[in-house]
């Protein structure tokens, strides 16, 4: 899987956070020279300046109900989860419906480094240096038809390999979705790595969605199906508890969850809380997508 992680710097060169920061320092140091243009990973202006959460915390505190509802148990339960071979079925309103081997799906699309705030609907947050590909680039490659108004993502269904699926906690498989214009926003990515290493199973290997202005549950893990649809997808959490989890799920400090406030968030791996920002701090990039919508109704 390492070939999907970072294209220009071998993962073997980046073995821990210290090296990650050394590399950043190096990039900043040589940044003045022309040579750096060729080597620096493409950065988006939206990238947060917040301090990234340590690797061990990001990969040791996980919501992945297919393995367990105990966040600290997922890492161990997912330790032997095999992600090769991996097939992603592309279906629905698309030029060529087809089953892709993962490498084929991502071929030709550059892997970028995107450090994003990650805000769970449970009112905790992290800052994650993801590696991944632009979802828009993948969609352009797949060529949806003019009827495609939404995109749906489905997680692997395999109770033998995912012990949590032997219990009816949710209606499996886990399904999430976006409106097509949301999916085409440059902030939306399909993640293949964290801190320059292949994304671990507990974080959604080998391919998971990240939509940083929305609550974390929109980011379906271990994706095996991408379907383009005319109708709004029926998504797992909105189906399970429609009063608590909407289809849009944009981070919004003004709309509380029925059972807790969304005004602030607990910072995992650090002390204290911080104020939650509208659209998780990405309003400048995405607020226009929702112009004219009542975000209390479409929560
Ligand atoms: N398939 C699947 N995807 C999922 C979940 C899940 O239980 N199953 N949990 C979601 C929730 S609630 C969050 S907050 C994020 C957690 O991602 P992380 O473990 O990488 O922090 O994954 C999301 N994607
Ligand atoms: Mo979450």
């Amino acid at each position: 899987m390492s070939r999907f992680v970072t294209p220009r710097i071998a993962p073997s060169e980046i073995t821990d956070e210290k090296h990650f920061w050394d590399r950043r320092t190096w990039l900043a140091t040589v940044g003045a020279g022309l040579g750096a243009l060729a080597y620096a990973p493409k950065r988006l202006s939206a990238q947060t300046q917040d301090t990234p959460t340590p690797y061990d915390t990001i990969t040791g505190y996980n919501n992945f109900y297919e393995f367990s509802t105990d966040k600290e148990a997922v890492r161990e339960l997912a330790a032997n989860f095999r992600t090769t071979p991996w097939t992603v079925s592309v279906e629905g309103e698309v030029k060529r419906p087809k089953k892709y081997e993962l490498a084929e799906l991502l071929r030709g699309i550059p892997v970028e480094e995107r450090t994003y705030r990650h805000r769970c609907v449970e009112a905790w947050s992290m800052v994650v240096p993801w590696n991944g590909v632009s979802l828009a680039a993948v969609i352009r490659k797949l060529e949806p038809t003019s009827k495609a108004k939404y995109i749906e993502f489905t997680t692997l269904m395999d109770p033998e390999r995912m012990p949590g699926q032997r219990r009816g906690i949710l209606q499996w498989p886990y399904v999430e979705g976006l409106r097509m214009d949301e999916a085409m926003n440059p902030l939306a990515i399909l993640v293949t790595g964290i801190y320059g290493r292949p994304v671990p199973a507990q974080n959604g290997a080998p391919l998971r969605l990240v939509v940083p202005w929305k609550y974390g549950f929109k980011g379906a893990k271990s994706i095996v199906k991408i379907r383009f649809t005319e109708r709004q997808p029926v998504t797992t959490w909105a189906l399970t508890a429609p009063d608590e989890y909407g289809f849009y799920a944009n981070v919004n400090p003004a709309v509380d969850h029925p059972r807790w406030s969304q005004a602030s968030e607990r910072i995992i791996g650090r002390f204290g809380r911080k104020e939650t920002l509208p659209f998780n701090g990405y309003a400048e990039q995405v607020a226009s997508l929702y112009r004219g919508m009542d975000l209390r109704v479409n929560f």
Side-chain angles (χ1 to χ4, degrees):
M1 291 311 303
S2 58
R3 64 190 183 283
F4 304 129
V5 179
T6 111
R8 300 186 179 99
I9 299 153
S12 56
E13 289 176 49
I14 308 157
T15 50
D16 59 21
E17 287 156 60
K18 183 178 177 301
H19 286 89
F20 178 80
W21 288 110
D22 286 351
R23 182 164 62 88
R24 287 210 151 175
T25 309
W26 178 81
L27 287 169
T29 310
V30 299
L34 276 174
L37 289 174
Y39 299 104
K42 203 165 130 195
R43 287 261 164 69
L44 230 73
S45 58
Q47 299 223 66
T48 179
Q49 298 301 305
D50 297 351
T51 307
T53 303
Y55 181 85
D56 200 53
T57 307
I58 295 169
T59 58
Y61 186 88
N62 302 98
N63 268 334
F64 202 167
Y65 282 14
E66 283 84 342
F67 288 97
S68 174
T69 52
D70 175 352
K71 295 186 213 321
E72 280 158 279
V74 177
R75 172 166 44 192
E76 204 177 310
L77 285 167
N80 297 319
F81 182 69
R82 284 208 48 170
T83 56
T84 45
W86 194 269
T87 306
V88 180
S89 179
V90 174
E91 304 177 9
E93 292 295 340
V94 64
K95 197 168 176 184
R96 292 171 306 274
K98 178 178 149 89
K99 285 185 173 27
Y100 288 84
E101 198 273 309
L102 182 60
E104 189 189 1
L105 179 72
L106 302 183
R107 191 170 295 141
I109 304 175
V111 177
E112 303 172 39
E113 179 193 289
R114 301 278 187 92
T115 299
Y116 285 155
R117 284 180 289 271
H118 173 41
R119 170 61 158 83
C120 177
V121 74
E122 298 163 337
W124 55 261
S125 69
M126 298 185 188
V127 175
V128 186
W130 305 109
N131 307 95
V133 296
S134 147
L135 175 58
V138 174
I139 292 172
R140 277 193 289 269
K141 172 172 168 168
L142 298 177
E143 297 184 82
T145 72
S146 59
K147 281 191 185 163
K149 300 287 184 285
Y150 296 88
I151 182 169
E152 182 190 89
F153 301 88
T154 304
T155 296
L156 176 71
M157 173 73 187
D158 189 343
E160 302 239 318
R161 294 157 71 199
M162 296 176 141
Q165 286 182 334
R166 294 172 212 158
R167 299 170 54 208
I169 318 152
L170 292 173
Q171 290 183 47
W172 314 112
Y174 194 101
V175 173
E176 258 310 332
L178 298 170
R179 220 170 54 195
M180 197 57 74
D181 60 339
E182 299 181 302
M184 292 301 289
N185 185 278
L187 293 187
I189 56 173
L190 288 174
V191 158
T192 56
I194 294 175
Y195 272 111
R197 305 191 211 176
V199 63
Q202 62 269 32
N203 295 89
L207 191 71
R208 69 83 66 84
L209 177 66
V210 167
V211 193
W213 69 94
K214 293 179 179 284
Y215 292 120
F217 71 83
K218 294 298 290 182
K221 294 179 168 182
S222 306
I223 294 166
V224 293
K225 185 160 83 179
I226 297 177
R227 196 164 69 95
F228 294 91
T229 67
E230 226 179 326
R231 300 269 185 91
Q232 182 174 302
V234 177
T235 53
T236 299
W237 280 106
L239 179 71
T240 304
D243 300 337
E244 302 187 17
Y245 311 101
F247 174 79
Y248 283 93
N250 292 314
V251 174
N252 190 345
V255 175
D256 287 339
H257 185 279
R259 292 181 279 130
W260 58 82
S261 166
Q262 293 292 26
S264 71
E265 60 205 54
R266 185 165 57 95
I267 307 166
I268 304 298
R270 301 179 74 172
F271 291 104
R273 303 180 72 86
K274 66 184 185 96
E275 270 183 38
T276 291
L277 298 169
F279 299 105
N280 205 20
Y282 301 102
E284 204 183 302
Q285 289 81 19
V286 302
S288 64
L289 292 167
Y290 310 101
R291 205 167 278 144
M293 281 176 65
D294 184 343
L295 297 178
R296 291 182 170 275
V297 176
N298 294 290
F299 62 92

